[in-house]
Amino acid sequence: MADRIQLLPDNIANQIAAGEVIQRPASAVKELLENAVDAGATEIKLLVNDAGKALIQVIDNGVGMSETDARMCFERHATSKIQNINDLFHIRTMGFRGEALASIAAVAQVEMRTKRDQDEAGTCIEIENSVVVKQSPVAMVTGTSIAMKNLFFNVPARRNFLKSNPVELRHIVDEFIRVALAFPHIFFSLTNNGQQLFHLDAGSLKQRITQILGSGYAAKVVPVKEETDYLNIHGFIGKPETAKKTRGDQYFFVNNRFIKSPYLNHAVMSAYQDMIPADSFPMYVLFIDLDPAQVDVNVHPTKQEIKFEDEKIVYAFVQAAVKHALAQFSITPSLEFDLDASIQGLDAVQKPFTDDNKAAAQSSSIFQAFTEANQAHRIEPSNSSSSNSSFRSLGSYIRPQEDDLFEQPTIATASFPSFPAPTETPTSFVSLAAQHGLFSAPEEVKLTQLFNTYVMVPNADHFLLVHQQAAHERVLYERLLQALDQQSLPTQQSLFPATIDVTPTDAVILQELLPYFQKMGYSIEPFGKTTFVIQGTPADMESGNEKIVIERILEQYKHFSSELKLSNREKLLRSVAWQQAVKPGKILTQVEMQALVSDLFNCSMPNAAPNGRPTYTTFRRDQIDKLF
């Protein structure tokens, strides 16, 4: 019987290794960018076509390679970073795997051009399926350009598993941002299909943060800097008011390498305790520098998960550093400008404050308003009865603000009039409820709102408690679902179209979702790289809040993207329903409550919100009797 065990050919072994290293175009982007950084480049350009499926090219002005090194770098286990086993535990460079380029060459058609400063000509190498098909001298400037074309051309099964172009481009943008944040002193650019998405000039870390995460953070970040014998921490954290519903703007770097660490994230979150809502996430870009011997970075193929020798010490340092920064921000806010010396020469500063000046100041109405009863809040009494009555009537419109935990107190979205006034009798919803076995007879009932959050629907032997937000989410979800599947919702064209600027990452998401928005009644058009014009909104939505609504829908969409494995269509449906639903804290009239309950029981699945949580619960009289 013949022997059955054989050695794999090199090209197949490389393809198997590539399965670990190169999972999608973004994986190759990460490896190529890290190699460019290690080459000492001050300018790095990333060009992609067809979201990296057709082309990924990285051009740098680093040190370049000799002809021999250019050939060797595509061999398996070839690296310039490791000479002996001890070097593996003192890694300070980015790329050190030794099989990244070999893996890329196994699953793509690669062309590399490279030249050192001391060489007269550079080297051009073309590789296909791990085989060098061409090598020749080439005229070029110092540096390296590596282009990989037709990813997974020889592994069609892997190529079929790639997602849509917008999804793959988002992953590429994520990897690009992580490297660009870690090295703000290097110029980076990203061009997709000939359109430049990022142009990041070299500068400070704060400048790089605002370039990538948005100018809104410019005045809303707090520096973090703590130095100890064991480790150093530096970076920036967002002020509490910048906390969002998604955890997207959170970056940890250990020795300049991006990592994912729920443990350290918990350290930051605990420092923000009681400062932000429980379901919100602060922004942070934090760098931890410590002895490489204290950390193992090679525990995962992507090197994004690492192990610390003493996690508890690192946790304590991170938590203390963030707490210290927040305390400094809240106690001693700094001024961003210097006092003009010429102010010291003004008359008001130079002249003495005489008794006459003092008497004149104390007799003024402004001074008295701040010293009499109620100080600045004092209102002069008026003899006019009409003014008193108007003040009382104004007070009748005052409503309690919504709880901060439930967001959007300022937005009058499609809450009401998205509940149309019921055309049937007020008891129509009871008839509907009877069909679901909730009521024995369609008797007329009066609804009650509890805690500005729940609607109580009484009956003879039990009552329902309807959660107003969950119920409205279900109503809106089914209405939007019908719009996507059948007839689009009507659009109300804006008299003055609003312009919205988003981050490059959000621009990719929004571009992908435009067809769905169109069917939901939103008319949004691209206007440049990261700018969109909102030409129209759903007919029942109050104008003036379009920008905030779209921004919050995107935030909620990204929240679903990070937590749930849903289709883009489903995530957007849930996001819009959540955004437009009436929130806890909103006072409802009797007509609005009846319309809500009626619409709820007209739904195909009235008992659950889109996310699965119940829309109502039933309390039977015998259950309540037992409590007493």
Side-chain angles (χ1 to χ4, degrees):
M1 185 174 170
D3 296 332
R4 300 173 62 183
I5 298 177
Q6 302 175 12
L7 281 174
L8 286 171
D10 282 347
N11 64 321
I12 296 178
N14 285 345
Q15 285 183 13
I16 293 171
E20 271 193 354
V21 185
I22 310 300
Q23 300 163 353
R24 59 190 340 146
S27 309
V29 166
K30 174 181 183 292
E31 300 290 347
L32 296 180
L33 288 178
E34 288 182 348
N35 281 342
V37 169
D38 287 340
T42 58
E43 291 187 4
I44 300 175
K45 299 174 183 176
L46 169 63
L47 294 83
V48 297
N49 286 345
D50 199 18
K53 299 173 187 174
L55 171 71
I56 296 173
Q57 184 174 11
V58 173
I59 305 169
D60 70 64
N61 64 347
V63 294
M65 287 181 277
S66 67
E67 185 178 354
T68 304
D69 285 348
R71 186 73 177 256
M72 278 293 294
C73 71
F74 288 102
E75 298 294 329
R76 288 193 71 193
H77 311 307
T79 177
S80 62
K81 317 287 173 62
I82 300 170
Q83 306 298 326
N84 56 61
I85 191 64
N86 290 328
D87 292 340
L88 194 61
F89 303 102
H90 295 85
I91 293 291
R92 281 204 176 272
T93 51
M94 298 293 289
F96 65 87
R97 174 177 298 285
E99 57 190 58
L101 290 179
S103 298
I104 290 172
V107 293
Q109 298 162 327
V110 179
E111 178 188 275
M112 184 175 76
R113 296 166 179 253
T114 185
K115 175 184 173 295
R116 296 181 302 178
D117 194 40
Q118 64 265 38
D119 297 332
E120 290 186 5
T123 303
C124 176
I125 294 181
E126 294 181 20
I127 299 180
E128 191 170 309
N129 202 16
S130 296
V131 177
V132 177
V133 295
K134 181 182 177 183
Q135 180 172 345
S136 61
V138 64
M140 62 175 294
V141 296
T142 301
T144 301
S145 167
I146 181 165
M148 52 177 289
K149 304 171 184 176
N150 302 321
L151 182 64
F152 299 136
F153 78 102
N154 54 352
V155 196
R158 290 290 303 276
R159 191 175 178 91
N160 291 339
F161 274 95
L162 294 179
K163 304 295 183 183
S164 66
N165 281 4
V167 172
E168 294 299 343
L169 182 58
R170 285 214 310 272
H171 286 287
I172 288 173
V173 168
D174 286 343
E175 293 293 353
F176 175 85
I177 285 175
R178 290 164 183 171
V179 178
L181 275 175
F183 301 95
H185 60 280
I186 299 176
F187 166 87
F188 284 91
S189 69
L190 167 57
T191 303
N192 176 53
N193 293 337
Q195 183 181 22
Q196 193 173 67
L197 298 181
F198 288 90
H199 180 98
L200 308 175
D201 290 317
S204 66
L205 175 59
K206 186 174 181 180
Q207 288 170 330
R208 182 59 53 91
I209 289 172
T210 55
Q211 285 174 329
I212 291 177
L213 303 184
S215 56
Y217 282 120
K220 295 182 179 179
V221 292
V222 181
V224 176
K225 189 171 180 63
E226 298 287 345
E227 296 185 355
T228 69
D229 293 338
Y230 186 79
L231 58 79
N232 298 331
I233 300 174
H234 74 278
F236 289 89
I237 56 176
K239 294 181 181 178
E241 65 264 28
T242 65
K244 296 182 178 179
K245 298 289 287 186
T246 55
R247 61 172 82 243
D249 297 340
Q250 297 186 333
Y251 298 89
F252 262 120
F253 298 88
V254 172
N255 293 343
N256 271 17
R257 183 185 301 281
F258 172 80
I259 66 158
K260 294 178 179 177
S261 173
Y263 188 65
L264 294 186
N265 177 70
H266 187 273
V268 176
M269 295 297 290
S270 62
Y272 276 90
Q273 194 169 12
D274 300 329
M275 300 182 72
I276 60 174
D279 58 349
S280 295
F281 302 94
M283 165 269 178
Y284 58 78
V285 179
L286 292 175
F287 293 79
I288 301 172
D289 297 317
L290 75 168
D291 184 348
Q294 303 292 332
V295 57
D296 184 359
V297 298
N298 207 21
V299 298
H300 191 272
T302 65
K303 304 193 285 282
Q304 289 182 1
E305 296 176 17
I306 65 173
K307 285 183 179 177
F308 294 100
E309 189 173 275
D310 193 333
E311 278 191 324
K312 291 182 179 179
I313 289 180
V314 180
Y315 181 101
F317 275 132
V318 170
Q319 184 186 44
V322 174
K323 276 188 174 180
H324 186 213
L326 288 170
Q328 282 187 315
F329 150 68
S330 58
I331 296 171
T332 57
S334 61
L335 295 176
E336 296 285 342
F337 54 86
D338 295 322
L339 183 64
D340 191 340
S342 62
I343 291 177
Q344 302 295 331
L346 295 177
D347 283 351
V349 177
Q350 295 290 332
K351 290 183 178 179
F353 191 55
T354 65
D355 291 339
D356 291 341
N357 296 140
K358 183 177 179 181
Q362 289 179 341
S363 63
S364 69
S365 59
I366 294 177
F367 180 87
Q368 291 170 2
F370 276 91
T371 55
E372 294 183 5
N374 295 325
Q375 294 189 0
H377 302 288
R378 181 172 175 80
I379 297 174
E380 291 293 332
S382 171
N383 295 327
S384 167
S385 59
S386 62
S387 64
N388 285 333
S389 62
S390 64
F391 186 77
R392 283 196 301 272
S393 64
L394 177 65
S396 67
Y397 289 99
I398 296 174
R399 293 285 185 264
Q401 291 294 315
E402 295 178 15
D403 190 327
D404 288 342
L405 291 178
F406 294 97
E407 292 256 352
Q408 284 89 7
T410 59
I411 296 183
T413 55
S415 13
F416 309 101
S418 90
F419 292 153
T423 52
E424 306 172 42
T425 61
T427 60
S428 60
F429 72 88
V430 185
S431 303
L432 290 162
Q435 297 171 16
H436 295 271
L438 300 170
F439 290 89
S440 55
E443 57 195 20
E444 185 172 335
V445 296
K446 184 175 185 298
L447 305 184
T448 306
Q449 189 182 24
L450 299 177
F451 313 124
N452 296 338
T453 301
Y454 306 97
V455 176
M456 189 173 71
V457 187
N459 192 34
D461 60 349
H462 64 269
F463 68 86
L464 302 184
L465 206 57
V466 179
H467 191 289
Q468 63 190 42
Q469 179 178 347
H472 199 196
E473 280 187 44
R474 166 52 60 182
V475 171
L476 291 170
Y477 175 84
E478 295 205 0
R479 194 173 295 169
L480 293 166
L481 186 63
Q482 188 177 22
L484 290 185
D485 290 340
Q486 299 173 23
Q487 187 174 4
S488 302
L489 292 177
T491 300
Q492 177 177 288
Q493 293 298 318
S494 302
L495 191 59
F496 302 102
T499 302
I500 178 173
D501 290 304
V502 295
T503 63
T505 309
D506 287 353
V508 174
I509 296 174
L510 189 51
Q511 184 73 46
E512 180 184 5
L513 299 177
L514 287 184
Y516 298 123
F517 271 113
Q518 192 76 34
K519 280 187 163 288
M520 292 180 181
Y522 293 90
S523 177
I524 305 173
E525 298 176 0
F527 189 72
K529 296 178 186 175
T530 58
T531 304
F532 295 80
V533 179
I534 307 171
Q535 301 281 10
T537 54
D540 59 359
M541 184 173 136
E542 187 177 316
S543 62
N545 295 311
E546 299 91 342
K547 289 173 62 174
I548 303 175
V549 169
I550 298 298
E551 286 170 356
R552 297 226 167 129
I553 288 174
L554 283 174
E555 280 302 311
Q556 190 65 19
Y557 177 88
K558 289 188 289 184
H559 169 69
F560 285 135
S561 296
S562 62
E563 300 295 334
L564 301 171
K565 300 296 182 185
L566 301 171
S567 67
N568 293 341
R569 178 176 180 268
E570 179 68 16
K571 284 183 285 194
L572 184 62
L573 277 170
R574 294 191 184 189
S575 301
V576 177
W578 178 88
Q579 160 62 30
Q580 295 185 350
V582 59
K583 302 299 186 291
K586 170 71 176 179
I587 296 176
L588 307 183
T589 66
Q590 189 68 209
V591 172
E592 290 167 344
M593 286 189 283
Q594 299 224 3
L596 172 59
V597 180
S598 177
D599 287 347
L600 175 64
F601 288 107
N602 262 316
C603 291
S604 61
M605 192 184 294
N607 60 323
N611 62 3
R613 77 177 191 269
T615 55
Y616 65 84
T617 186
T618 308
F619 292 87
R620 296 197 315 273
R621 178 168 182 171
D622 57 346
Q623 292 175 317
I624 298 171
D625 287 342
K626 288 178 183 177
L627 298 175
F628 297 93

